[in-house]
């Protein structure tokens, strides 16, 4: 898109806010403050008033001041337009990578970092379809009914963060990914029939990847060691591992080999009690046919 076209698009969104800064995210606060300071210095260096600059990039003067003060996270397109308008030669646009990380909640960034380093991952989910397996429509439908209600801005931030984590399926070399889903999470028509169908289709698509295993834990299973809640186990190239479960260690992540071993045993038993990957695909296909 041309610069003029981008300006028109931004003006149509006028004072659409940037993302709010998480005050508990020290690194994020520092990054946003630095970016804001650089934007202000560059604007003042070319002797452009905030109101004139805001008009040029399609934002209100008040939002320009908030971004420069480090109170709002600028959107990537804002930095691109600022770079063009202020003649920064790519210096402002180059900050998009750091800003891109900050736009995601701190907790999500930490999870995504671990996932990006893991060579093997096991996930048991009993409340919802695991976030990495969800379609964008499914995510929005889930977030849309949580209470207290999220603002549109918060919704967009969470969806963007979860979508970014799906890059794990495109990594090379590919990590070994194992998922066990409670049957009820697949039968719940989150978002309505069409969203539900697309979610089941997405599961089948991922289940056919050579490095991905998806198993279903039947609701009628009498003996089930996963009733304590979700389980996550991530293993790394150096032989270390991190795990978490709702049913032990106060739900906190653990890396002690003995504690991780307990989670591995539980997850291994859950996989043994669940349907095989082939049986699971057949069940999901049946559900899809019944919708």
């Amino acid at each position: 898109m041309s610069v003029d076209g981008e300006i028109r698009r931004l003006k149509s969104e006028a004072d659409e806010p940037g993302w709010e800064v998480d005050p508990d995210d020290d690194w994020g606060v520092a990054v946003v403050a630095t970016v804001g300071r650089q934007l202000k210095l560059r604007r003042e260096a070319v002797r452009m008033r905030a109101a004139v600059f805001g008009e040029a990039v399609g934002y209100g003067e008040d939002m320009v001041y908030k971004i420069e003060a480090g109170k709002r996270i600028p959107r990537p397109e804002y930095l691109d337009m600022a770079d063009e308008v202020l003649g920064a030669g790519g210096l402002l646009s180059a900050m998009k990578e750091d800003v891109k990380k900050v736009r995601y909640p701190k907790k999500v960034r930490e999870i995504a970092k671990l996932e990006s380093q893991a060579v093997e991952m096991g996930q048991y989910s009993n409340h919802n379809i695991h976030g990495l397996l969800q379609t964008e429509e499914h995510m929005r439908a889930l977030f849309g009914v949580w209470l207290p209600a999220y603002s549109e801005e918060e919704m967009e931030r969470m969806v963007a963060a979860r979508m970014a984590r799906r890059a794990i399926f495109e990594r090379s070399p590919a990590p070994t990914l194992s998922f066990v889903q409670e049957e009820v999470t697949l039968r719940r028509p989150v978002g309505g029939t069409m969203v539900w169908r697309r979610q089941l289709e997405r599961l089948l698509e991922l289940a056919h990847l050579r490095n991905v295993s998806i198993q279903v834990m039947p609701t009628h299973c009498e003996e089930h060691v996963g009733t304590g809640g979700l389980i996550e186990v991530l293993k790394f190239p150096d032989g270390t591992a991190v795990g978490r479960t709702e049913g032990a260690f106060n739900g906190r992540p653990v890396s002690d080999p003995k504690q991780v071993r307990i989670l591995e045993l539980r997850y291994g038993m859950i996989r043994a009690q669940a349907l095989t990957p082939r049986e699971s695909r057949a069940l999901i296909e049946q559900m899809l046919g019944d919708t």
Side-chain angles (χ1 to χ4, degrees):
M1 181 181 292
S2 67
V3 173
D4 288 342
E6 183 68 3
I7 289 177
R8 288 195 297 271
R9 188 185 70 78
L10 287 175
K11 284 184 177 179
S12 71
E13 297 173 359
D15 282 319
E16 179 184 357
W19 297 283
E20 291 184 357
V21 182
D22 181 355
D24 295 325
D25 182 0
D26 294 337
W27 180 78
V29 169
V31 168
V32 176
T34 299
V35 171
R37 185 162 53 250
Q38 291 300 315
L39 285 165
K40 181 179 180 180
L41 289 172
R42 191 74 192 187
R43 177 177 62 77
E44 292 179 341
V46 299
R47 301 180 182 279
M48 184 179 290
R49 293 185 295 109
V52 176
F53 172 73
E55 175 67 18
V57 298
Y59 280 71
E61 181 180 4
D62 182 59
M63 184 55 61
V64 171
Y65 283 130
K66 286 181 178 179
I67 289 175
E68 292 182 349
K71 295 180 180 179
R72 289 279 181 162
I73 304 172
R75 296 179 181 275
E77 59 267 26
Y78 182 98
L79 293 174
D80 283 336
M81 293 306 303
D83 193 280
E84 182 73 20
V85 170
L86 300 176
L91 295 177
L92 297 179
S93 290
M95 295 189 288
K96 287 191 297 184
E97 284 305 310
D98 285 333
V99 171
K100 181 180 178 181
K101 298 174 184 176
V102 173
R103 65 183 282 196
Y104 304 139
K106 180 180 179 181
K107 182 178 179 181
V108 175
R109 288 205 311 271
E110 293 171 347
I111 293 173
K113 181 179 180 181
L114 290 174
E115 290 173 347
S116 69
Q117 298 171 343
V119 295
E120 184 178 337
M121 184 171 67
Q123 303 276 0
Y124 162 66
S125 302
N126 61 341
H127 296 309
N128 295 302
I129 292 174
H130 191 277
L132 290 175
L133 304 177
Q134 293 173 9
T135 65
E136 182 175 349
E137 296 92 339
H138 187 101
M139 297 175 198
R140 293 183 182 279
L142 278 179
F143 294 148
V145 297
W146 285 3
L147 294 174
Y150 290 115
S151 67
E152 194 64 30
E153 177 183 334
E154 291 171 326
M155 174 96 70
E156 292 302 317
R157 193 176 185 187
M158 291 190 300
V159 169
R162 187 163 289 186
M163 290 293 290
R165 287 172 57 201
R166 300 201 316 185
I168 193 171
F169 295 111
E170 302 170 3
R171 275 177 47 196
S172 180
T176 300
L177 306 176
S178 167
F179 300 89
V180 179
Q181 287 287 155
E182 280 293 330
E183 181 181 347
V184 65
T185 65
L186 308 184
R187 292 193 179 278
R188 186 174 295 121
V190 173
T193 301
M194 292 309 299
V195 173
W196 183 25
R197 283 187 60 85
R198 284 192 288 268
Q199 179 60 68
L200 294 176
E201 290 170 349
R202 173 64 174 170
L203 291 174
L204 289 174
E205 174 187 335
L206 293 174
H208 282 92
L209 296 178
R210 294 175 60 187
N211 64 311
V212 177
S213 169
I214 297 178
Q215 295 176 253
V216 177
M217 175 63 76
T219 301
H220 67 262
C221 183
E222 295 181 4
E223 297 181 1
H224 187 356
V225 300
T227 54
L230 69 83
I231 294 177
E232 300 174 314
V233 179
L234 288 80
K235 298 182 180 180
F236 307 103
D238 61 0
T240 60
V242 172
R244 184 171 72 91
T245 180
E246 293 174 330
F249 318 124
N250 296 317
R252 72 180 191 281
V254 296
S255 57
D256 180 271
K258 293 182 179 179
Q259 295 175 324
V260 172
R261 181 58 179 160
I262 291 173
L263 300 185
E264 289 179 321
L265 287 171
R266 290 186 183 180
Y267 185 67
M269 183 58 71
I270 289 173
R271 292 195 68 186
Q273 293 174 331
L275 299 178
T276 67
R278 183 185 296 274
E279 293 169 338
S280 298
R281 289 195 299 269
L283 178 60
I284 297 172
E285 289 171 352
Q286 178 186 329
M287 292 181 189
L288 186 58
D290 292 340
T291 60

